[in-house]
Each structure stands twice: as C-alpha cells, then as structure tokens.
Amino acid sequence: MEQRKATSGSQPGRPRKKVDNPYLEADHSLQIHPGYRMRRTKREWRPLEDRSCTDLPWFLLFTVFCVGMGSICGFTIATGGAARLVFGYDSYGNTCGRRNERIEGVRLSGLDQTDKKYVFFLDPCNIDIVQRKIKSMALCVSLCPDEELKTYQDLKRFAMHNGSELCSYEMAGHRYPNLPERFDKCPKLPVPPSKSLPVFNRCTPVDISCYAKFAEAVVTFVSDNSMLHRLIAGVMASKEIIMGLCLLALVLSMILMVIIRYISAVLVWILTASVVLGSLAGTSILWWLYIDHRLTANQTVSTKTVETKDAKVEAGTTRDSAQGLLVYAIAATVFTVILLLLMLFMRKRVSLTIALFHVAGKVFIHLPLLTLQPFCTFLALLLFWLYWSLVLLFLGTTGNPVQNEETGLTEFRLTGTLQYMTWYHAVGLIWISEFILACQQMTVAGAVVTYYFTRDKTKLPLTPILSSVLRLMRYHLGTVAKGSFIITLVKIPRLMLMYIHNQLKGKENAFARCMLKTCICCLWCLEKCLNYLNQNAYAATAINSTSFCTSARDAFVILVENALRVAAINAVGDFVLFLGKVLIVTSTAFAGVLLLNYQRDYAEWVLPLIIVCLFAFLVAHCFLSVFEIVVDVLFLCFAIDTKYNDGTPGREFYMDKALMEFVENSRKLERAAERGRSRPTEAVSVEGEEMKPMAPGTSSA
C-alpha cells in the first residue's frame, strides 16, 4: 500500500513545482518502468504574458510579394504604359501630347504629337465594353469637336479653322470632300459633339445614347434615353436626402449595437420563438395546400366523364403540381424536425449567447474605437483597390506593339513571360485584400482579449485598439499573412471554376454543369470554415502569442470540446445579427420612401432608394460583422477561462458578471441533476444493507 501511494503521487524527496499561472496545468508523470519516467506536457495558456514574433518567414514572404507588386507598377511606368493610359495613344502607337520614337514595322509611328493632346475615335460607338475591345481607329487631335459635324465639308471647315484634322494622318484636311479614301479613313458621319475627359484626354460623345448598344448588356433600360435621364435627374435632385439617409443608416447601426446589450435576452428568445413558429406555420400551410390540391383534383376528375386531350393535359399538370407541393411539404417537415431537435438540445446554451451579447455590448462601451474599425478597413481596402485597378489599366497599355489582324490597329500586349505579370497582379488582389481583412480580425481580437483578461477594467490601456494595432505590426504580421494566404489558396480555384462556368454557360452538358456547381459550392463551404477557424486562430495568437498553426490547433481543440455551444452561438447569434441587418435596411428604406415621396419635384425615386438600401446594408454588415467577431472572441476566451479556472482561490475566473451568472446557473443545474441520479442508488444500497444478514462471529459494534 505504501509503495502504491508513493508511485501515484509526487516523487519522494522531489517537491511538486508550484504553478503561479492559473492557465498552466501541472505536468503529470506516467511511470512506465522502474527507473524510467516519461513526462507528458499539456498545452500552456499564458494570456498577455509573453510576446514574441510569430511566423516570421511568412512575413518575409509577404514582404517580397508586395515588393513584386510594386515592381509591376514601376515596370508599367518605366515602359510607358502609365503615360499611354493617361495621355492616350493613336492606332499607330504614338502617345498623344509627346514626341514619339519610331516603332519598327509600324507605319506612321514616331510622329511628334506635342500639340495634339486628345484622343479622337473615328467611330466612338464601336466600343465593346464587355470584351474590353476598342474596334475604332484612334487619332491624336488638338481639339475635340464640340458641335455635330454632318458632312465632309464640315470636317474640312473644322480642320481649317481649328488646325485639328479628324481623318487619318496621310490625308490633307483641305482635300477631305474629294478623296475616295474618306469613307474608310474619316470618322463616321454625322460626328457627334464630344468633350474631353478631365484626367484621361479622350474625346467622348456628349450624348450618352451613343453607348446604348453595348450598355444594354449591363443595364437593360439604358436604351430608353428618357428613362435614364429621369433616373439621373432623380439622383441629382435628391442628393441631400440620399446623404441624410446614409447618415441615418450609420446612426441606426451604432444604436443597434448598444441596444442589443440591454434587450439581448428578450430579442434572442423572441427571434428564436419566431423562427420555430414560422417554420411550423410554413410546414402546416404546405401540407394544407397539398391536401386541398389533391381534393380539388379528385373532384375535378370525377366530374369529367369524357376524356379529351385538354383533360389529359390538365390532369398531368395537376399531378405535377401535387408532386411539387408534396416534395416541398416533406422538405419543410424535415427542416422543421431538425430545427426542433436542435432547439431542444441547445435550449440551455441559448442563454450563453444572450450573456455573450450582453458582454459584447459592454466591450463596445469600454472600447468605443471599435466602431471605427469598419471605416479604417474600408478605407484601406478602397485605397488598395484603386491602386490595383490603376496598375491593371497600366498593364493594359504595357508591352510590345502588336498589329491586330482583325482591325489593323496597333495594340500593346504583354508577350512571353511578361504576360504572367497579370496573373501575379490578380493573385495580389486576393491575398492583400484578405490580409487587410485579417488585420482587422487580429486587431479586434487583440483588443477584446486585453479587455477580457484584465480583471480590473479601470487598469485597461489608454487605447486598447491602438495597443492591439502596435502588437500586430510588431509581432504578428507573419501570422496574418499566413492565414490570409490559406484563404487565397481556396478562393483562387473557386473563382477559376466560376469563370469557367460562365464561359461554358449553355455549352456544357447537365453532368458537367452539376459537377462545376458542386465543386464551387464545396470550395465556398471550405472557405467559410477556414475563415471561421482563422478568426479563432488569430484570437489564440492574441492570447498566447503562438504561431498560426499552433494557434489554429489550440483553437480547434477548444471549439471541438464546446461543439454544441459553438453551434448554438453561430445559429442563434448569426440569425439575430442577420435580422439586425434586415431591420436597419428596412428602417432606412421606410424613411427613404417617406422623404422621397414628399419630394415631388421629380418623378423617379427608385434609383435613389436602391442606392440608399445598398449603402445601409453595407454599413450594417460592416458594423455587425465587427460585433460578430467580438462575440466569437469572447466565447473563445470564456471557454479557455472555464477550462483552466474553477473560481477557487488562486484559480479565479476572469469573466464578466453576466458570464459568471451563467456558470453558476449551469453548476446548479448539474448539481441538481447529479442529486436526482444519486438518490435512487443510495436508496437501493441502504435497503441492501438492512436486508443483508450479519455474518457470524461479528459484532454490531
């Protein structure tokens, strides 16, 4: 017995090491053989204690990649692509407004176009926006025609008075009316009046109906010039109302984030009950429609004694409708049963969602700068997207001059290995965009972790958000780069499959179409799962300053151990936040209808209302997405807190009072359940002792 006690406890003469950190579990020694001892270590959680650089090689790789992105921009500027985009070039490779060098093999190249600063298209309406092709010949001119030119005499007069020849360079202006080449090398009559763009010196027709032919692919009613002008007039006349409604959506989003804290319990339970009742009502209605449809069909068939062709067709249509209703009713029934089972198993965990929503509201009160995170992220994304689009346009005018065999015009194209720069630039769009979004997640996670693991909230840093940003920039940019790269690896194949699906639309068979959609759907689901895991990995990194893979593994273990809680929070919480977005959009739309209907100096206000609703949804999505990140990070901190602490001296909880009440209520329910299970066992054992006869030779004492 003494030997067993010695081996089951600590080693004799070797005192057990005291653990000061409540998150550091003691190592347990497992005796395999006398004289041999194997040590099993458990994961250590040390919130906000040590901080070191994580995933440094990935930071260096991301830095090299960004340098490559910048090199592409420098290459386009050095090779003249930026100048050709800004100043424009003609169909012979001459940049307008500059002295040009001759291009070998291209006639009429190398001209001095210093005085000709504008690009004029002979057929400005022959532009394919969808395929990004300009099929019209372009010339450098000194002035854009500001009035309509109907005859070749008008072209001659414009060339003589303004010194701007609108026909090909080899044709003299005073001979326009008599030359036989005028039909091919002069602009198509009548020449519409045009103006030059403010930055890009292109002569563009004033009448937008010129572009109705190719714009129909984007907006179907653009060809109706009166309708388009009425819509534009509506937007211009209501620009003050639009700005006011956008500000209203912003204010409503901020107010909703505060209100959720105070009415989270009522809101969550009302919405949960609404979903359950709505599902039951929808299922009942579908079954009622199916039964009514069958009864009506049977009565109709019994009244028709003569079989005709129309009667057979009607009977077939009725059967198809009944089968469709039956399928919908069965699907709704399965969905309702699953929903009821989920609510039954997760009813106790809905209270955790309510508590997390309550604490998340407190976080925003203590950290008001969190409300500025969507603006900072949106501004960073907007600036990067503008830069990316500008460089992409530079790439479109960079490369070697190539003569188009179809049109005979000179174009600049990237050939050989240079064409891979476009693909490199496209990957940069996805990776850097995901990097910016991941930086937002890491910043919010760092601030929330600091709030949670600081027991005395009066000792919080002066600006936890700025402190989190500085920690991110100093220690964890490599982790963010690695996580965003993983998302990029999943997103690129999905986008490629979507592009292939669009290109083959109407050409592939049903099986290929089904396989493409299945692959796209699977990749989309994988991307969403990785996004959620990455977000929790960033939170684990903010807590423990570990690398991305270690943090992802630790977060995954915690989430698996609390799978039902995670399901309840994601199901109930996401649904509540979605309804919050719907509430903000509908409230803004209702206010817009009232204000726009009151403003009666124009007829059309549909487009302003659409603009306002889109902006309201964008604002609501940005704000409530940050709220969702806060809730998820709080749950991870709560799960770690409850796993390694129990509220005893030396292992006190870090959690808020609302979460503490949830833990106490859960413990009371568990103790009550344990007492209920133990009472029958105790009764049986007592009865057994009383009925058991006393052994001979023993005393009752």
Side-chain angles (χ1 to χ4, degrees), residues 299-415:
Q299 293 176 1
T300 303
V301 172
S302 62
T303 56
K304 290 186 178 181
T305 57
V306 180
E307 283 291 328
T308 61
K309 183 177 180 180
D310 295 337
K312 292 180 179 180
V313 172
E314 184 178 354
T317 305
T318 303
R319 284 194 299 270
D320 293 340
S321 301
Q323 289 178 358
L325 286 173
L326 179 61
V327 172
Y328 295 149
I330 293 175
T333 303
V334 173
F335 173 78
T336 303
V337 171
I338 294 175
L339 181 62
L340 290 174
L341 291 176
L342 288 176
M343 292 299 175
L344 179 64
F345 285 108
M346 296 191 303
R347 66 188 187 280
K348 298 179 182 179
R349 294 167 178 83
V350 174
S351 56
L352 176 59
T353 305
I354 297 172
L356 288 174
F357 272 50
H358 182 78
V359 178
K362 287 186 178 180
V363 171
F364 279 93
I365 293 177
H366 284 86
L367 310 178
L369 289 181
L370 276 178
T371 56
L372 298 179
Q373 274 300 114
F375 295 104
C376 298
T377 304
F378 179 74
L379 180 60
L381 286 173
L382 182 62
L383 292 176
F384 170 69
W385 289 342
L386 289 175
Y387 164 80
W388 186 88
S389 302
L390 194 62
V391 175
L392 182 65
L393 293 174
F394 290 168
L395 283 172
T397 55
T398 303
N400 301 319
V402 178
Q403 192 169 15
N404 192 325
E405 297 179 357
E406 180 182 354
T407 60
L409 309 179
T410 302
E411 301 174 356
F412 290 88
R413 298 177 184 174
L414 295 172
T415 57

Side-chain angles (χ1 to χ4, degrees), residues 452-615:
Y452 187 95
F453 289 108
T454 302
R455 287 194 172 93
D456 188 0
K457 306 306 179 187
T458 59
K459 296 183 180 180
L460 284 171
L462 183 61
T463 54
I465 296 293
L466 296 180
S467 301
S468 180
V469 171
L470 293 177
R471 285 200 304 269
L472 166 64
M473 297 179 64
R474 183 176 179 182
Y475 299 110
H476 306 309
L477 285 178
T479 300
V480 173
K482 186 175 183 179
S484 57
F485 180 76
I486 293 175
I487 301 297
T488 304
L489 289 181
V490 179
K491 183 167 286 188
I492 288 177
R494 183 172 67 86
L495 294 176
M496 293 178 65
L497 289 177
M498 291 175 62
Y499 176 77
I500 294 173
H501 180 262
N502 291 329
Q503 292 296 318
L504 298 179
K505 186 173 293 184
K507 299 178 182 179
E508 76 278 17
N509 55 29
F511 178 76
R513 182 168 58 252
C514 180
M515 290 299 298
L516 278 174
K517 291 183 178 180
T518 303
C519 293
I520 292 172
C521 182
C522 292
L523 288 174
W524 181 83
C525 294
L526 178 61
E527 181 183 338
K528 292 301 179 183
C529 294
L530 288 176
N531 268 321
Y532 183 73
L533 183 59
N534 280 10
Q535 178 179 308
N536 287 277
Y538 299 147
T541 299
I543 295 172
N544 225 26
S545 188
T546 49
S547 63
F548 176 81
C549 292
T550 303
S551 300
R553 181 190 62 201
D554 296 340
F556 181 76
V557 171
I558 294 293
L559 294 176
V560 170
E561 292 174 351
N562 298 269
L564 290 179
R565 288 178 175 178
V566 172
I569 292 171
N570 287 334
V572 179
D574 292 352
F575 183 71
V576 170
L577 296 179
F578 170 74
L579 291 183
K581 298 174 187 178
V582 174
L583 176 64
I584 292 173
V585 173
T586 52
S587 301
T588 308
F590 179 72
V593 169
L594 295 179
L595 293 175
L596 292 171
N597 190 40
Y598 177 76
Q599 193 86 1
R600 296 181 180 276
D601 56 343
Y602 53 89
E604 297 294 334
W605 42 266
V606 176
L607 186 58
L609 191 61
I610 293 175
I611 294 174
V612 168
C613 290
L614 290 176
F615 182 83

